[in-house]
Amino acid sequence: MIGRGAAVWTRTAGTGPQRVLPDGCTDLIWSEAGPDGELLVAGPDTRARLAPGPPGTRAVGLRFAPGQGPAVLGVPAHELRDQLVPLAALWPGAEVRRLAERIADVERTAEAERTAARQAARGRLLEDAALGRLRTAEPPDPVLAAVVAGVSRGTGVAGIAAAVGLGERQLHRRSLAAFGYGPKTLGRVLRLNRALDLARTGVPFAAVAATAGYADQAHLAREVRTLTGVPLGRLLQGSGG
């Protein structure tokens, strides 16, 4: 692994567009869409988006923890906010072509293997590419962990700024570069994900609201609809439309 919080994921497209929820993260993605596949970067989302794709299309991605993506990708997170861009727009073309060729070799040399094994091999290649980038990257902003911890606890912007020794405007600028948005929006996104994790285990919605830090169940319902576009019950059913 390239560091705490980074994770490889795999996905196979279903019969309709998949709803991708905001999570404060940035992803490096290989998709088999197109004749030779493609390498993409998904920036931090402020709202859910629908990811189209022919049924059965496979993808594998490396999801960076909040604040980790800019060191690997080489651009501030806010430049990628709510965007899906070709990796070649961020990295030198020759570097992207080499990575794409290595991923294509997985398909050619492992045709007899299970799909899961091929996806795992692609994930390792994405991790290797990210590690290579991190070896020459600037050290991470030392305040990031404290910002994530503060917003996760529900601490206000003024309290977080005081805790890390920054003015509120400085905190906002550094949060934009690291996370793609300011600490208040980051807190809303992380709170949403905490709530969804609880709701998926069968916790009643009123208890989800209280545990995740919402004022009440109505507040939870409004935030879910605002950030995902659908009510919580429908979201838990896995509807993509």
Side-chain angles (χ1 to χ4, degrees), residues 192-234:
L192 169 72
N193 282 269
R194 290 196 303 274
L196 294 179
D197 286 343
L198 289 167
R200 290 180 181 122
T201 67
V203 175
F205 291 174
V208 168
T211 303
Y214 292 92
D216 50 32
Q217 188 174 336
H219 183 203
L220 166 65
R222 289 194 302 273
E223 281 287 275
V224 169
R225 184 180 285 274
T226 297
L227 294 174
T228 73
V230 293
L232 179 55
R234 181 179 173 190

Side-chain angles (χ1 to χ4, degrees), residues 19-23 45 47-49 192-193 196 200 228 235:
R19 190 175 301 276
V20 179
L21 303 180
D23 57 9
D45 294 314
R47 298 288 187 277
R49 58 183 174 83
L192 169 72
N193 282 269
L196 294 179
R200 290 180 181 122
T228 73
L235 190 64

Side-chain angles (χ1 to χ4, degrees), residues 104-121:
D105 284 341
V106 169
E107 190 72 26
R108 288 193 291 267
T109 60
E111 289 181 354
E113 295 185 22
R114 294 180 296 110
T115 297
R118 293 198 297 271
Q119 292 291 73

Side-chain angles (χ1 to χ4, degrees), residues 1-2 6-10 27-31 38-41 59-64 72-73 87 91 95-96 99-100 102-103 106 118-134:
M1 289 299 299
I2 67 168
V8 173
W9 55 263
T10 62
D27 297 72
L28 175 59
I29 303 167
W30 175 85
S31 169
E38 57 184 348
L39 286 160
L40 304 165
V41 171
V60 59
L62 180 61
R63 177 164 296 138
F64 304 111
V72 175
L73 300 171
L87 181 61
W91 290 5
E95 185 176 354
V96 175
L99 178 57
R102 294 178 67 193
I103 292 176
V106 169
R118 293 198 297 271
Q119 292 291 73
R122 294 178 183 122
R124 288 192 295 271
L125 289 172
L126 294 179
E127 285 188 294
D128 289 345
L131 272 171
R133 281 269 163 165
L134 282 175

